[in-house]
Amino acid sequence: MSKPSQQRPNTDQNGVSVSVIQTQAQSSGVQQVPQLVPVSPGGGGGGGGGGKAVPPSKMKKTHADKDTEEYRQRRERNNLAVKKSRMRSKQKAQDTQQRVNELKEENERLEAKIKLLSKELSVLKDLFLEHAHNLADNVQPQGPEAPAAGQNNNNNNNKRP
Amino acid sequence: MSKPSQQRPNTDQNGVSVSVIQTQAQSSGVQQVPQLVPVSPGGGGGGGGGGKAVPPSKMKKTHADKDTEEYRQRRERNNLAVKKSRMRSKQKAQDTQQRVNELKEENERLEAKIKLLSKELSVLKDLFLEHAHNLADNVQPQGPEAPAAGQNNNNNNNKRP
DNA sequence: TCGCATTGCGCAATTG
DNA sequence: ACAATTGCGCAATGCG
């Protein structure tokens, strides 16, 4: 969108069956001429490639027709796709990172809640224990029955021994 | 984990259509280059890798010697750095993803715990309420000295009927 | 200024 | 045939 970047691949002008070295030293039309590798069928590097037998006579391979319009079109499409894919990938990573943050936050919240509940529970339990003791003290000497009305069972007592 | 054998940037994995032919630097071997010296500066950078186009006739600004050994050296170093950086980036993304999973898991655990604690609390509160009612029932019919009016004076307010 | 680290981009091979 | 991925190299830029 911001970059036209449409330069014609100046290199290759050969309609011959050759491969352009692209490993390195081939970028621009520097003084160095693009290396041409003789595509010997069944010979050197070409053959091994994909595990597909290469007919000795013709080496159509995939479609290494440079300089054709179809090629350029395909390239451009692919470039677009690549860009899209990368954008997505990046976005996804970003989202994931954000998710981590959210989860961390929620985690803290939950832990705080747990702490609160635990405390509440502990208080209640203490209350229970205390009450049980009170009952035991009052009930034991008299008997398990006849709870006797006038008891000081005020359960609102809160003391810390 | 690292990949040894990065000394001579030859073909990497397959080596299908890409063959390596050193320009004229070291590595004496296959190099029968037809004397083609087009010297087309216009298209410049494009080519395979760089994707850099510089219309100006002169493009030697950044000392792009290209065919010097120093250049190759720098390139190789950079390639290495790039590789490393990307590897790290990928690893990081992966770690982040894993972190999400871990956090999710822990979240579930915490929520389960919360549920448990809540239930426990609720039970205890119910017990309290019941007890309070029992007290009320026992006190009212038997002892005239009941608290009278305020029969509902349990401060332990509960949301559940 | 040098040197590594990041990042955007294009090419080609692979995959779905 | 075609879009999406992936590995890789180049160059610009960031950073110390």
Side-chain angles (χ1 to χ4, degrees), chain A residues 7 19 21 23-24 26-29 32-33 35 45 49 61 100 107 114 117-118 120-121 124-125 128 131 153 156, chain B residues 9 16-17 19 23 33 36 38 44-48 53 66 72 100 107 114 120-121 124-125 127-128 131 135 155:
Chain A
Q7 35 67 262
S19 288
I21 306 315
T23 310
Q24 65 230 62
Q26 47 66 247
S27 35
S28 65
Q32 220 47 275
V33 126
Q35 303 300 339
K61 244 184 318 190
V100 164
N107 247 14
I114 285 183
L117 288 178
S118 291
E120 225 174 306
L121 206 69
L124 275 190
K125 281 185 180 172
F128 249 125
H131 191 229
N153 45 6
N156 251 352
Chain B
V16 183
S17 54
S19 297
T23 325
V33 180
L36 277 161
K66 231 70 156 210
R72 274 296 354 133
V100 164
N107 255 19
I114 285 184
E120 231 173 303
L121 251 179
L124 274 191
K125 285 186 178 174
L127 270 176
F128 258 120
H131 187 72
L135 278 185
N155 58 350

Side-chain angles (χ1 to χ4, degrees), chain A residues 3 7-8 10-11 19-38 45-46 49-50 61 93 96-97 99-100 103-104 106-107 110-111 113-114 117-118 120-121 124-125 127-128 131 135 147-150 153 155-156, chain B residues 9-10 15-24 33-34 36-41 43-49 53 59-60 66-67 72 96-97 99-100 103-104 106-107 110-111 113-114 117-118 120-121 124-125 127-128 131 135 142-143 145 155-156:
Chain A
K3 201 170 121 268
Q7 35 67 262
R8 280 260 167 260
N10 51 0
T11 28
S19 288
V20 177
I21 306 315
Q22 101 113 116
T23 310
Q24 65 230 62
Q26 47 66 247
S27 35
S28 65
V30 217
Q31 280 100 341
Q32 220 47 275
V33 126
Q35 303 300 339
L36 308 175
V37 74
K61 244 184 318 190
T96 305
Q97 180 59 52
R99 189 123 166 71
V100 164
L103 284 174
K104 262 205 270 190
E106 184 161 352
N107 247 14
L110 293 180
E111 259 173 71
K113 186 160 185 179
I114 285 183
L117 288 178
S118 291
E120 225 174 306
L121 206 69
L124 275 190
K125 281 185 180 172
L127 237 55
F128 249 125
H131 191 229
L135 276 186
N153 45 6
N155 61 347
N156 251 352
Chain B
N10 284 0
V16 183
S17 54
V18 270
S19 297
V20 173
I21 290 188
Q22 271 305 8
T23 325
Q24 31 112 277
V33 180
L36 277 161
V37 188
V39 187
S40 21
M59 57 93 76
K60 311 187 170 198
K66 231 70 156 210
D67 44 329
R72 274 296 354 133
T96 306
Q97 179 59 53
R99 190 125 166 69
V100 164
L103 284 173
K104 261 205 269 190
E106 185 161 353
N107 255 19
L110 293 180
E111 256 170 78
K113 187 161 184 178
I114 285 184
L117 288 178
S118 292
E120 231 173 303
L121 251 179
L124 274 191
K125 285 186 178 174
L127 270 176
F128 258 120
H131 187 72
L135 278 185
Q142 207 167 40
E145 46 192 275
N155 58 350
N156 209 353

Side-chain angles (χ1 to χ4, degrees), chain A residues 29-78:
Chain A
V30 217
Q31 280 100 341
Q32 220 47 275
V33 126
Q35 303 300 339
L36 308 175
V37 74
V39 178
S40 3
K52 196 111 188 176
V54 176
S57 20
K58 257 175 142 205
M59 173 134 186
K60 193 146 192 263
K61 244 184 318 190
T62 36
H63 22 41
D65 298 317
K66 226 74 113 175
D67 71 338
T68 67
E69 171 148 358
E70 188 206 327
Y71 167 73
R72 244 359 287 166
Q73 222 164 352
R74 269 189 301 112
R75 282 306 326 135
E76 201 160 335
R77 270 177 125 72
N78 178 249

